[in-house]
Amino acid sequence: MTANPTESVLTDPTTNGQDGPLLEVEDLFVEFRTRDGVAKVLNGVSYHVDAGETLAVLGESGSGKSVTAQTIMGILDTPPAYVTGGSIRFRGQELLSQSAEKRRQLRGDGIAMIFQDALSALNPVFTVGFQIEEQLRIRKGMSRKEARKRAIELLDLVRIPNAKGRVRQYPHEFSGGMRQRAMIAMSLALDPQLLIADEPTTALDVTVQAQIMDLLAEIKAERQMGLILITHDLGVVAETADRIAVMYAGRIVEHGDAHSVYKAPGHPYTTGLLNSLPRLDLKGQTLETIKGLPPSLLNIPSGCPFHPRCPKAQSICSAEVPVNHDLGNGRYSKCHFAEEVVRNG
Amino acid sequence: MSDPTMAAGGVATEEPADYVTGAEHAEGTKEKTRSLWSDAWHDLSRRPLFVLSMFVIAFLVLVAIFPTWFADANHRLRDLDRARIGPNVPYLAVCMAIIGSAITVVAAILATVGKLRDGVCRTMAPYVAGIGGLILLGGGLVNSVTLYIVIGAVVLACGIVSGVPKVSQMLRGSASTWGLVAVLAVAGIAGLVISFGDLSTVEIGAAFGYDQQGRDIYARVVHGTRYTLLVGFTATLLTVLIGSTVGILAGYFGGWLDNLLSRIGEVFFGLPFVLGAIIILSAFRSAGFDSAPAIVAMVVLSISVLSWPVAMRIMRSAAISAKQQDYVKAARALGASSRRIIFRHMLPNCLAPVLVYATIALGAFIGAEATLSFLGIGLRDPAVSWGVMIADSRNYIRASPLLLIFPASFLTLTVLVFVTIGDAVREALDPKLR
Ligand SMILES: Nc1ncnc2c1ncn2[C@@H]1O[C@H](COP(=O)(O)OP(=O)(O)O)[C@@H](O)[C@H]1O
Ligand code: SF4
Ligand SMILES: [Mg+2]
């Protein structure tokens, strides 16, 4: 089943305690069969999350972060999307072989997800309260009254002022930040153990972004939830993430604890991402951007997929696919020169 | 290198714990909440033509349900001795005068309400006065009653003048509105007094005359309302029901199911309407369905069978765009079942375009029933509709054009009213159709 067994070493043995990680994605392959051809969107993605831990998934848009999340949730449409290999284990149970009905039961209850644009992720024809209560009534068998009470508690929990009144309002009557809070409240309704937040703050302005991130971090800690934080913004994760997985062209090119990855990235792509970010500690810097465009997934470059854009590329890079280099302490990089990159930046 | 947490993440710590701005607090205390539908309704209830049309429909529905309240003559009674006797013009004139005067009084009341409380009543008053004036004027003209003509002309003039946007703005809230109210009230009451006085001088009954078989045309028009509306409403309901169900399933599930359903829809859509209806109806006709309900059911069925693909296409494209919305993904991510997603989350969001289609289709289907009846394959005795009456008149169009004109004017008016409603609904919902 695993198409490329040599790549499945990403699972960190130190976190693989007696129970194993909360969620473990291993060597996941997904392709979209479209009229233009087959887009190989995921090419062996592996990562894991533990309870009470935040994993940040970084990468430019189009690198497959959302597709990975939606594959975990099981909400990709087939066609056009096909899972062609790999495994997803939640609390040790394989999800990909489960029945559709069983996977549906797990959504919301075991794993929940929040979306980038809360305005479009909330149904415009129902009140915010209704959308929270609906799950409680159907999945938990609560009465209308109990569900309403719980919905108000949840809105209170995400610090929506005047929750009693707000519960009766429609999404368009909420401000952007409050909508995202309502979305978070909705995803927490069934007490999931894992929350996937797909760019939860991209649509918001900077101050509100920070508030939402704080809220997520706090709720995660309180409930000992696993949190997968998807973003293309390194600044957002600096405070919240325990570990970072950097994605490029449908694979994890670098993985490690947040602190060391920031301090000394092990992959030229990560270096590029970090350099494209304004840093408060380096005054008078010039911002660099990564040159070139992300590769077409219909036609991924040979060897290291990053080589057409990589400033450190050598001839070996276009010829050989780099394996996962173990850099110690659970750090991995898929670069031929990983050790050198860590040492010399 | 440097401290990782400094990488632009510092913003978070500088922010005070105050999570919500003052403006958001204020917003939160607002008592009334608005949904798409209540927004649209709010908008519609301010359109005088829409409100007026709704009253006309309500009246027609009342006539359809209780025809005997409006016509006591037996609409089935044939008496060849009175075949094609023309309208009872003096009685018709008095009746029109009474109706026109009553409507004028209503206009005066609306203008008064509009003066006290600005709203749709104020904008409706000129329309209502215009209609009252026209009917009065018409009553006067058919029988050359000078008094009716004068009163009618005055009321009509009031309606037109007060309806001119500039004048309407000027009158708004101003004391001169009382002048308008006075003129309308005096004209309406005078009209009522005079016409009720005239009522005793005329012979009562058969206002529209008799048809080629000596049946009371007025009674037939009144009783025909029932079948005309019945066919229109049920055909629309069935069309929308079939079309929406098929469309939303095709749009949600996509793939081969969508292909299959779309092709089936195209087959029916490809059939020319009249030809298809002729084939279906003549097939059933020879099978001998002769009771009124069976005849109505056949006509309704053939209209719906040939029209549902339109509703399906509208629903399907609405469903496809709704399905790509994040809220459907979000509902799935929260573990909602397909049935729940389709009927609870997508359907209300897809309803607007179908509703617009339905209101316009209603008018069209009433017309279609008339067409089929005219061709001799639609309704027929014992079911009577305006279309049947028009069909019956076809051999006498030159000799007795009134046989055609009475049912045709009611048909035209009704279709017009439904189309007006359809237009208003579309405008009210359109900006939110996305
Ligand atoms: N429905 C789809 N059909 C075809 N290609 C898709 C579809 N959804 C996503 N993709 C492709 O998958 C790639 C990864 O998308 P995504 O996971 O959304 O990226 P991101 O990392 O920005 O979240 C993109 O290149 C996109 O073109
Ligand atoms: S393998 Fe070569 S091309 Fe790829 S990131 Fe490393 S240096 Fe760059
Ligand atoms: Mg994305």
Side-chain angles (χ1 to χ4, degrees):
Chain A
M1 186 176 59
T2 30
N4 194 348
T6 56
E7 295 203 43
S8 60
V9 290
L10 254 182
T11 320
D12 184 354
T14 58
T15 54
N16 217 340
Q18 54 271 65
D19 299 319
L22 182 63
L23 177 88
E24 199 171 11
V25 177
E26 205 178 318
D27 223 15
L28 195 60
F29 284 76
V30 169
E31 56 190 40
F32 281 83
R33 298 179 192 157
T34 64
R35 240 171 272 156
D36 308 325
V38 176
K40 298 203 182 301
V41 173
L42 300 189
N43 303 289
V45 173
S46 305
Y47 58 55
H48 67 95
V49 205
D50 292 319
E53 182 197 46
T54 302
L55 171 76
V57 180
L58 291 170
E60 285 166 301
S61 76
S63 54
K65 307 181 297 292
S66 301
V67 170
T68 313
Q70 290 175 20
T71 313
I72 295 170
M73 295 304 300
I75 57 171
L76 277 180
D77 283 318
T78 305
Y82 294 84
V83 179
T84 52
S87 111
I88 301 171
R89 287 183 296 276
F90 181 67
R91 285 181 292 176
Q93 282 197 327
E94 176 60 50
L95 298 188
L96 289 177
S97 56
Q98 267 179 13
S99 71
E101 182 55 26
K102 249 188 139 176
R103 292 201 74 182
R104 184 176 77 75
Q105 297 288 346
L106 190 66
R107 283 179 221 141
D109 197 34
I111 314 177
M113 181 164 175
I114 59 181
F115 292 80
Q116 173 177 339
D117 182 5
L119 178 60
S120 57
L122 292 164
N123 196 328
V125 304
F126 297 122
T127 61
V128 169
F130 176 90
Q131 300 183 50
I132 300 175
E133 291 154 27
E134 191 190 16
Q135 312 172 57
L136 295 167
R137 285 192 285 117
I138 295 171
R139 304 282 291 277
K140 291 231 162 140
M142 284 191 187
S143 70
R144 269 168 203 281
K145 236 175 133 185
E146 290 170 323
R148 170 57 53 104
K149 200 172 142 248
R150 182 77 188 121
I152 294 172
E153 283 170 16
L154 283 163
L155 289 180
D156 257 337
L157 177 80
V158 296
R159 302 208 192 88
I160 285 183
N162 181 21
K164 264 207 173 73
R166 287 288 187 181
V167 80
R168 272 189 301 259
Q169 287 189 333
Y170 290 90
H172 70 262
E173 296 172 83
F174 278 41
S175 68
M178 282 216 286
R179 258 178 238 138
Q180 195 55 277
R181 281 164 209 278
M183 185 82 218
I184 294 173
M186 213 165 120
S187 67
L188 293 177
L190 300 179
D191 303 307
Q193 291 130 307
L194 175 65
L195 183 63
I196 304 177
D198 191 354
E199 314 212 8
T201 61
T202 309
L204 306 172
D205 62 48
V206 181
T207 47
V208 184
Q209 275 184 13
Q211 295 166 4
I212 297 288
M213 288 316 305
D214 286 354
L215 179 68
L216 277 175
E218 198 183 304
I219 289 171
K220 181 213 74 176
E222 231 165 63
R223 303 184 160 217
Q224 278 300 298
M225 250 180 356
L227 177 63
I228 298 180
L229 184 64
I230 295 171
T231 178
H232 59 241
D233 182 354
L234 274 162
V236 166
V237 299
E239 293 218 325
T240 17
D242 298 308
R243 281 182 301 111
I244 290 179
V246 181
M247 233 175 140
Y248 188 78
R251 58 204 91 194
I252 305 293
V253 293
E254 168 153 25
H255 168 270
D257 64 286
H259 190 80
S260 13
V261 171
Y262 266 100
K263 210 167 179 180
H267 194 284
Y269 179 62
T270 316
T271 316
L273 282 180
L274 283 170
N275 286 343
S276 63
L277 186 82
R279 295 175 76 121
L280 301 178
D281 50 328
L282 299 176
K283 291 219 169 69
Q285 69 197 333
T286 49
L287 286 187
E288 289 170 41
T289 51
I290 306 171
K291 289 175 190 66
L293 293 172
S296 155
L297 297 173
L298 296 171
N299 187 8
I300 296 175
S302 62
C304 171
F306 188 53
H307 82 256
R309 304 169 73 189
C310 182
K312 297 203 166 54
Q314 309 284 324
S315 55
I316 183 184
C317 298
S318 56
E320 268 176 54
V321 180
V323 295
N324 234 350
H325 288 245
D326 189 341
L327 300 171
N329 290 326
R331 288 197 63 189
Y332 297 91
S333 162
K334 278 198 182 104
C335 172
H336 288 303
F337 310 106
E339 291 82 359
E340 200 186 308
V341 174
V342 173
R343 249 181 287 119
N344 307 330
Chain B
M1 277 197 160
S2 58
D3 179 6
T5 59
M6 289 298 285
V11 202
T13 47
E14 290 162 19
E15 209 45 44
D18 175 20
Y19 276 84
V20 183
T21 63
E24 286 177 350
H25 269 298
E27 249 182 85
T29 55
K30 194 173 52 181
E31 348 71 82
K32 258 187 79 181
T33 60
R34 299 166 295 126
S35 71
L36 168 82
W37 297 108
S38 64
D39 261 3
W41 180 248
H42 188 73
D43 177 34
L44 284 173
S45 63
R46 284 153 183 266
R47 294 167 186 255
L49 276 178
F50 174 80
V51 177
L52 208 60
S53 302
M54 287 304 273
F55 273 105
V56 174
I57 303 284
F59 178 73
L60 286 174
V61 168
L62 196 68
V63 173
I65 298 175
F66 304 109
T68 46
W69 291 5
F70 299 88
D72 45 15
N74 182 347
H75 69 287
R76 294 223 171 89
L77 186 70
R78 291 156 212 243
D79 182 352
L80 287 178
D81 282 347
R82 55 189 197 198
R84 290 199 282 130
I85 293 178
N88 179 355
V89 175
Y91 178 58
L92 180 63
V94 171
C95 288
M96 286 176 77
I98 292 175
I99 295 169
S101 308
I103 293 177
T104 306
V105 172
V106 171
I109 295 169
L110 286 175
T112 311
V113 176
K115 167 73 182 79
L116 302 175
R117 224 177 118 257
D118 193 21
V120 74
C121 287
R122 184 181 64 81
T123 45
M124 262 175 71
Y127 287 97
V128 176
I131 292 168
L134 269 178
I135 295 176
L136 260 165
L137 196 61
L141 287 174
V142 293
N143 201 24
S144 315
V145 187
T146 325
L147 260 177
Y148 298 168
I149 296 178
V150 171
I151 299 174
V154 169
V155 174
L156 183 60
C158 278
I160 293 173
V161 171
S162 63
V164 173
K166 262 199 185 142
V167 180
S168 167
Q169 271 310 311
M170 214 182 68
L171 283 176
R172 185 178 183 172
S174 110
S176 35
T177 307
W178 294 125
L180 177 71
V181 171
V183 174
L184 289 178
V186 168
I189 290 166
L192 278 176
V193 170
I194 296 167
S195 49
F196 269 111
D198 290 348
L199 197 56
S200 53
T201 67
V202 297
E203 192 194 333
I204 290 175
F208 293 176
Y210 295 94
D211 71 0
Q212 69 286 358
Q213 297 192 44
R215 294 172 294 197
D216 186 324
I217 295 180
Y218 171 72
R220 272 171 74 75
V221 166
V222 166
H223 285 270
T225 313
R226 169 177 290 182
Y227 287 103
T228 301
L229 292 193
L230 190 66
V231 170
F233 277 114
T234 43
T236 307
L237 199 71
L238 197 62
T239 303
V240 166
L241 227 57
I242 303 175
S244 310
T245 314
V246 175
I248 206 163
L249 291 178
Y252 179 77
F253 288 107
W256 63 268
L257 186 68
D258 180 22
N259 273 326
L260 179 72
L261 295 174
S262 294
R263 293 301 92 74
I264 295 175
E266 271 159 28
V267 170
F268 285 95
F269 190 71
L271 278 175
F273 182 80
V274 173
L275 180 64
I278 290 176
I279 294 169
I280 297 174
L281 286 170
S282 36
F284 280 116
R285 185 161 209 169
S286 51
F289 289 93
D290 282 332
S291 67
I295 296 171
V296 169
M298 286 308 119
V299 173
V300 165
L301 219 62
S302 61
I303 293 179
S304 303
V305 158
L306 293 167
S307 309
W308 68 267
V310 184
M312 177 216 166
R313 286 177 171 197
I314 294 172
M315 185 52 114
R316 177 178 168 273
S317 62
I320 287 175
S321 77
K323 194 194 171 185
Q324 284 156 358
Q325 298 290 318
D326 280 353
Y327 60 78
V328 171
K329 268 197 193 149
R332 282 172 75 193
L334 289 170
S337 61
S338 287
R339 212 179 71 203
R340 203 160 177 86
I341 290 172
I342 293 175
F343 293 108
R344 200 72 210 186
H345 291 265
M346 282 171 48
L347 190 62
N349 286 286
C350 300
L351 231 43
V354 180
L355 190 76
V356 172
Y357 165 73
T359 34
I360 294 170
L362 228 165
F365 288 168
I366 288 175
E369 179 271 313
T371 310
L372 297 178
S373 300
F374 185 82
L375 291 173
I377 51 168
L379 299 184
R380 65 197 131 97
D381 265 346
V384 53
S385 75
W386 301 335
V388 171
M389 297 177 71
I390 293 172
D392 288 347
S393 75
R394 80 191 122 187
N395 293 328
Y396 307 92
I397 286 173
R398 292 260 191 98
S400 320
L402 288 176
L403 290 187
L404 170 70
I405 288 175
F406 284 118
S409 5
F410 279 87
L411 181 75
T412 313
L413 179 83
T414 307
V415 173
L416 189 72
V417 162
F418 278 116
V419 171
T420 308
I421 291 178
D423 269 352
V425 170
R426 193 187 53 220
E427 274 173 40
L429 290 174
D430 229 6
K432 292 128 195 162
L433 287 183
R434 280 175 300 245

